[in-house]
Amino acid sequence: MTRAARRPAPASLPLPDAAILVAGPSKAKWLDTSGRASDLSLAEAGARARAGPPPIVCHAKATARRLGLGPFPALDVLELFAFVRPAVLCPPTPRGLASALHLPAPKTLDDEARTLRATSTRLLEELARPDLVRDPDTAAVARAMAAGGWPWGGPVLAALGETAADERGEAPPRGLEVWRRLKEWQDFAPEPPPGQAPVSPEEAGARLAELVGPRAEARPQQQDYAAAVAAAFAPRDAADAPVLVLGEAGTGVGKTLGYLAPASVWAQKNQGPVWVSTFTRNLQHQIDGELDRVYPTPGSKAAKAVIRKGRENYLCLLNLEEAVGRLAGRRDLGFNRDAVALGLIARWAASSRDGDMVGGDFPAWLADLMGPERTLGLTDHRGECIYSACPHFRTCFIERSVRRARRAEIVVANHALVMTSAALGGLDDAYLPTRYVFDEGHHVFAAADGAFSAHLTGAEMLELRRWLLGGEGRGGRASTSRLRGLQRRIGDVVADDREAGAALQATLAAAGALVSAGWLQRLGEGVSRGPAEDFLALVRSQVYARAPDPDNPYSLETDAKPLLGGAEETAAALEEALERLSSPLSALARRLGELLEERAAKLETAERLRVEAMCRGIARRGAVQIEGWRAMLRSLSGETPPEFVDWFAVERWNGRDADVGMHRHWIDPTVPFAETVAARAQGVLITSATLRDGTGDEELDWAAAEARTGARHLGHPPVRFSVPSPFDYPNVTRVLVVVDLDREDADQVAAAIRELFLAAGGGGLGLFTAIARLKAVHAHLAGAMEAAGVPLYAQHVDALDTTTLIDIFRAEADACLLGTDAVRDGVDVPGRSLHLIVFDRVPWPRPDILHRARRRAFGGSAYDDMLTRLRLKQAYGRLVRRADDRGVFVLLDSRMPSRLAGAFPEGVGIRRLGLAEAVEETRRFLNPR
């Protein structure tokens, strides 16, 4: 193939000869190539879209869903944006694009259509900049995508001064080999252990004053908070007795800078890192922004502050190379979605800050558009890394992050990673920090519940099989799948050692007893294969026999005991099969450890780290996972340990079985959290705006905080403090309970939410305790909200992930959003974009088997009340994020008991009134004249 000669970019960049399509909830706008606009029904718009030629759209997947279509050919402006501005985040709507490109914000569907035309023109003009026209890498990626049939390929190449070139059959397509253009990371000598110098309240206050600057508004609560937090950075006085500080800080205190001030002082004085752990991605972004104050230059921030996540969050360059390699030799005559996806990923990877595809600078909507299998499927989500044996080891995003974290002062991580890492004695580098800050501390219980639970399910066993054996074809034969088993990861290490080689082969042989591909279909057909599938078949039969309503479309569960007849023998057979797997796997780990010592003088650092990582991986899969499963199976014929609760479940998705298995959770998961995380640290701060319960009894409220954070399991009392919010909640918020509504009537609930949203003028968040009710209400609301000119988005309805929905909601001040708990926890939206919250009913905890056990252990109905107050308190806290915010909180449930009133700040009264009065009060309060 001869590359086309480069020519200057054209003086004018005409758009493709394509109409523009914008679909609303109940109607669409069609803008033809002459600029003439037409109003169409969704059915009419769908017919035109199918007839072709491909129109220009914004988010083709969401557009198709609104039109009631499957995928259809289109020029998606978001794809063009991702190509031109890689690693730049933007809400995936016409308004979001307009804001990113500094265009006027559209207000109507007609405006949105014209905005897409202007956006397309602006982006093509950007490509014609001299720096991009002269950049051979940009043109090479564009040619590879154009060869794959990318609809934007021709216009993009024209803007770059290129002519289209046929790259089908290249091995691999040029331009997609981004790994060749990445800089290698540098290694350094191991860091010495940090010092133990404390941080005084005065030092914390002085650093905070530096961070906020001399012109900052006086915030005495923030100074009080920083001074109190300093106690968490004192050295401990006894082994397993960390200095634990529980700090509740009301919204508006400024706790992020409040703890970053003493944390940065300690890190600099002692030359060691402080790990800041969060529960939500949104808070990670917020902390990342605040770190700009701590490290004001990009260079200092890059060296001293790191966002650290699990391996499954980062792009794996070997996975990318293998995906690109699969394009070689393909001469598809039609559209090749893989080529387009890989081109956009190559553009992003070359610009990304750290290669983080989940919550980093990789647009979440790009995974929606391309499909998660083409994007997030390229991460190391199965633990299949081959470490130093990988040709991309020296440019690996994950290894770069690990090394940066070793030398950083502030490491921002998440609860799950911190807990899993501590439980296993460290992950990639076996490092455990001595100082932790757990922000969003009210989620410690839930995070520990996920980190320390065990699941003996078909999906988990299949995952383990793939980790051990790699990709398989039909009948268990090796396949060309990119899944890498133990043989590929460590076969070369043990090739010349008879004992290790024998243990490896015995492990691989025993792995055949685990479920294999197609297990779920076989269970449905009543045909199981081997002890693992026999056990799952029994579990499924017991669940369907005993679930209260087995015909409902949602997941089912039942108690593990008493078992069906013959179940003990089936469980014992699986336990024996797992023992035959566990034994050689343990022997392999032991022998690898011995090889590290025997070959200490010969192994290079990278090779030694690779073997150490494999030892930890085998311990995680063997000593932790497999031995945990064996203990669960043994308890089926004996007593379940009193600290656990077991049950059988069939997970369902859209009314179809998705997974089957046995589950084990700690009744109190803060026990392992306290033992494996807190007790091993020197100092721990657990902080949140909602640590305490709201019973009105201060000691009971603090006792609830200690129970939910594991503080009571450490054998010595924590330091406790609270700093009140500076906000005047009684004057800037209202809490209303609607008493004349039938909460079971979807029509009435939808009408109420519609009137409240319209009265607020947008900026409303509707929260639901059940997905089915959310969907039913959305169906009633969509048309009315569109007619009123108020954009409405909904979790589980729109073809957008939750993070993207929240980003859109934050960016569009008059939009409204419907969601469930995941939305409530992730929202941080100041100003008019969120000034109304409507709960469809009191958010009582879900009455499942796990909750039943915890309710019995933690106080019966008082436990229910505590959880519900905390949920209401967390949701209410979303309303006022800065001093000039105002907000209304509405419950459409007359059964709201007065004992839950402690969820709201002192002085905030609860008014019970009819819907009409609530609507008028909302309108008056949020739109004062």
Side-chain angles (χ1 to χ4, degrees):
M1 184 205 74
T2 302
R3 179 178 165 181
R6 185 178 301 280
R7 56 183 174 79
S12 62
L13 296 168
L15 283 177
D17 187 20
I20 296 176
L21 169 62
V22 176
S26 63
K27 61 183 179 181
K29 181 71 67 171
W30 187 276
L31 188 67
D32 65 22
T33 54
S34 69
R36 184 174 64 253
S38 303
D39 291 317
L40 303 176
S41 69
L42 295 181
E44 291 170 331
R48 287 197 186 184
R50 285 195 302 267
I56 295 174
V57 301
C58 178
H59 205 299
K61 186 176 179 181
T63 302
R65 177 173 290 189
R66 284 190 167 179
L67 297 177
L69 302 178
F72 65 93
L75 293 98
D76 198 325
V77 180
L78 292 176
E79 294 177 12
L80 182 61
F81 183 90
F83 183 91
V84 178
R85 295 192 174 188
V88 175
L89 301 179
C90 165
T93 64
R95 287 192 183 194
L97 290 167
S99 177
L101 297 174
H102 306 292
L103 297 169
K107 297 181 179 178
T108 65
L109 284 181
D110 187 81
D111 291 343
E112 290 184 8
R114 299 182 190 283
T115 294
L116 294 189
R117 171 162 288 175
T119 297
S120 303
T121 301
R122 180 71 60 86
L123 290 171
L124 291 173
E125 288 172 347
E126 282 192 26
L127 276 179
R129 294 196 321 254
D131 57 326
L132 287 177
V133 168
R134 289 193 297 265
D135 178 12
D137 295 332
T138 301
V141 174
R143 286 197 305 275
M145 294 172 68
W150 189 35
W152 285 109
V156 164
L157 287 172
L160 291 170
E162 298 275 338
T163 56
D166 185 3
E167 296 207 357
R168 294 186 181 95
E170 281 201 7
R174 284 196 300 177
L176 303 186
E177 297 175 298
V178 64
W179 52 87
R180 300 186 186 279
R181 306 193 290 273
L182 298 176
K183 292 182 179 179
E184 293 188 355
W185 46 260
Q186 298 296 318
D187 226 335
F188 297 91
E191 295 294 314
Q196 297 293 337
V199 177
S200 69
E202 292 76 19
E203 288 176 303
R207 175 58 56 86
L208 178 61
E210 293 176 15
L211 298 182
V212 300
R215 298 182 180 180
E217 176 185 352
R219 300 174 75 175
Q221 292 94 341
Q222 191 178 40
Q223 283 286 342
D224 293 343
Y225 178 83
V229 163
F233 298 96
R236 68 186 184 188
D237 295 330
D240 299 328
V243 179
L244 177 63
V245 177
L246 298 182
E248 185 173 81
T251 304
V253 166
K255 59 181 169 57
T256 303
L257 281 181
Y259 60 66
L260 286 178
S264 60
V265 171
W266 185 90
Q268 291 165 11
K269 288 177 67 173
N270 295 286
Q271 297 186 355
V274 175
W275 279 50
V276 179
S277 181
T278 76
F279 189 73
T280 63
R281 299 178 200 168
N282 181 69
L283 184 58
Q284 283 193 343
H285 284 301
Q286 180 181 322
I287 295 171
D288 188 35
E290 295 285 23
L291 283 169
D292 290 340
R293 296 173 180 259
V294 183
Y295 307 106
T297 67
S300 64
K301 184 178 180 181
K304 299 299 183 182
V306 176
I307 295 180
R308 182 79 169 88
K309 297 184 178 182
R311 305 184 71 88
E312 68 279 1
N313 290 273
Y314 298 92
L315 173 66
C316 170
L317 294 175
L318 183 56
N319 286 348
L320 177 62
E321 180 186 12
E322 292 178 353
V324 170
R326 287 194 292 272
L327 291 177
R330 289 179 59 177
R331 293 184 171 272
D332 306 81
L333 298 179
F335 180 47
N336 186 338
R337 199 66 173 165
D338 291 336
V340 177
L342 292 172
L344 294 179
I345 290 172
R347 287 283 290 162
W348 166 79
S351 303
S352 176
R353 169 183 170 184
D354 54 12
D356 177 7
M357 301 187 79
V358 185
D361 53 19
F362 185 81
W365 45 260
L366 198 52
D368 287 336
L369 291 178
M370 298 292 108
E373 71 284 355
R374 295 188 180 94
T375 53
L376 304 183
L378 297 178
T379 64
D380 179 23
H381 62 288
R382 292 188 175 95
E384 58 196 13
C385 183
I386 58 177
Y387 298 94
S388 61
C390 177
H392 309 301
F393 182 69
R394 302 296 304 186
T395 53
C396 175
F397 288 117
I398 305 164
E399 296 297 332
R400 187 188 307 276
S401 174
V402 169
R403 282 154 183 77
R404 288 182 60 212
R406 290 177 188 166
R407 298 169 56 82
E409 293 179 349
I410 304 294
V411 179
V412 183
N414 58 71
H415 294 351
L417 176 69
V418 167
M419 293 178 190
T420 303
S421 176
L424 297 174
L427 288 178
D428 300 295
D429 54 358
Y431 174 81
L432 290 177
T434 64
R435 307 285 167 171
Y436 293 104
V437 174
F438 287 93
D439 203 341
E440 298 182 302
H442 58 280
H443 283 301
V444 161
F445 190 99
D449 188 33
F452 299 109
S453 57
H455 310 279
L456 177 52
T457 70
E460 291 286 330
M461 283 192 279
L462 183 60
E463 190 76 10
L464 176 59
R465 181 188 180 105
R466 288 170 170 168
W467 187 81
L468 294 169
L469 298 178
E472 296 177 296
R474 294 181 179 179
R477 296 187 301 273
S479 78
T480 57
S481 166
R482 66 176 177 80
L483 300 179
R484 294 177 281 276
L486 273 183
Q487 182 68 53
R488 182 174 176 186
R489 295 201 297 277
I490 61 170
D492 60 325
V493 176
V494 304
D496 58 351
D497 186 88
R498 180 177 301 176
E499 183 180 350
L504 173 59
Q505 295 309 311
T507 296
L508 300 181
L514 299 169
V515 301
S516 58
W519 69 271
L520 193 57
Q521 179 179 346
R522 290 193 291 275
L523 257 60
E525 295 170 350
V527 180
S528 57
R529 181 189 298 168
E533 294 184 17
D534 289 344
F535 175 74
L536 295 179
L538 180 141
V539 168
R540 184 176 184 273
S541 295
Q542 182 164 318
V543 170
Y544 273 97
R546 297 177 182 173
D549 183 12
D551 294 326
N552 83 74
Y554 304 109
S555 297
L556 308 172
E557 64 179 25
T558 190
D559 292 295
K561 298 177 184 177
L563 292 168
L564 292 179
E568 290 188 13
E569 293 81 359
T570 305
L574 177 55
E575 195 272 331
E576 291 173 4
L578 291 175
E579 195 280 331
R580 289 192 295 272
L581 174 60
S582 177
S583 181
L585 195 58
S586 298
L588 177 60
R590 176 185 53 77
R591 184 57 187 151
L592 286 174
E594 293 171 352
L595 290 176
L596 281 174
E597 295 185 11
E598 295 172 8
R599 302 176 181 178
K602 300 179 180 179
L603 287 177
E604 296 183 0
T605 299
E607 192 68 7
R608 176 177 54 78
L609 291 174
R610 172 189 170 194
V611 177
E612 289 176 346
M614 286 308 307
C615 288
R616 287 191 296 274
I618 291 172
R620 178 180 183 180
R621 299 286 187 169
V624 177
Q625 186 177 43
I626 298 175
E627 289 306 306
W629 287 351
R630 293 182 63 200
M632 292 164 64
L633 291 166
R634 288 193 297 268
S635 70
L636 290 176
S637 59
E639 293 294 325
T640 300
E643 63 268 28
F644 297 120
V645 56
D646 296 340
W647 71 94
F648 292 167
V650 174
E651 303 296 327
R652 312 193 79 200
W653 183 253
N654 291 331
R656 302 180 66 180
D657 292 0
D659 199 9
V660 179
M662 179 181 180
H663 300 263
R664 168 169 285 183
H665 283 239
W666 284 79
I667 293 176
D668 182 357
T670 66
V671 171
F673 168 74
E675 292 175 351
T676 62
V677 183
R680 297 180 184 179
Q682 292 280 335
V684 178
L685 167 67
I686 300 179
T687 187
S688 170
T690 54
L691 278 183
R692 296 181 295 170
D693 192 7
T695 65
D697 183 310
E698 183 173 3
E699 194 55 39
L700 284 177
D701 291 348
W702 274 116
E706 293 185 13
R708 299 291 291 173
T709 59
R712 66 180 184 178
H713 301 305
L714 291 174
H716 61 283
V719 177
R720 308 187 306 198
F721 76 89
S722 64
V723 178
S725 170
F727 297 145
D728 184 6
Y729 286 114
N731 285 322
V732 299
T733 65
R734 294 290 183 268
V735 177
L736 312 177
V737 176
V738 176
V739 297
D740 60 350
L741 196 71
D742 180 359
R743 67 177 196 170
E744 304 297 336
D745 188 326
D747 289 341
Q748 289 191 39
V749 173
I753 293 177
R754 179 193 67 219
E755 295 305 315
L756 288 164
F757 279 179
L758 295 178
L765 173 63
L767 293 174
F768 294 79
T769 56
I771 296 173
R773 289 199 299 274
L774 182 156
K775 291 182 175 179
V777 167
H778 178 270
H780 287 80
L781 273 182
M785 300 301 291
E786 181 183 27
V790 178
L792 177 67
Y793 301 95
Q795 187 188 18
H796 305 293
V797 175
D798 291 305
L800 300 164
D801 78 304
T802 301
T803 300
T804 300
L805 284 171
I806 294 172
D807 288 342
I808 295 171
F809 182 54
R810 182 184 296 109
E812 299 188 6
D814 59 349
C816 292
L817 175 63
L818 306 180
T820 56
D821 277 359
V823 170
R824 180 199 71 210
D825 289 335
V827 170
D828 182 19
V829 181
R832 181 178 170 80
S833 291
L834 175 55
H835 59 183
L836 170 67
I837 290 178
V838 183
F839 254 110
D840 76 321
R841 59 183 62 190
V842 175
W844 297 110
R846 180 184 174 189
D848 54 21
I849 291 174
L850 179 58
H851 177 69
R852 182 184 68 193
R854 288 176 175 163
R855 191 176 190 269
R856 185 184 303 122
F858 295 133
S861 60
Y863 178 65
D864 291 343
D865 290 349
M866 179 192 71
L867 294 181
T868 306
R869 275 192 295 266
L870 289 173
R871 289 176 179 177
L872 292 171
K873 188 176 184 180
Q874 291 155 22
Y876 172 87
R878 306 294 94 191
L879 276 177
V880 179
R881 311 300 291 173
R882 60 191 186 196
D884 57 349
D885 283 352
R886 296 167 69 84
V888 175
F889 188 94
V890 182
L891 265 168
L892 302 178
D893 192 346
S894 61
R895 303 179 190 182
M896 161 76 174
S898 59
R899 66 181 183 276
L900 300 182
F904 307 107
E906 185 176 352
V908 175
I910 299 177
R911 294 182 57 191
R912 295 176 179 269
L913 65 181
L915 176 61
E917 296 172 277
V919 170
E920 182 54 36
E921 175 66 8
T922 299
R923 180 180 292 109
R924 182 196 63 77
F925 187 74
L926 294 180
N927 301 285
R929 293 181 178 147

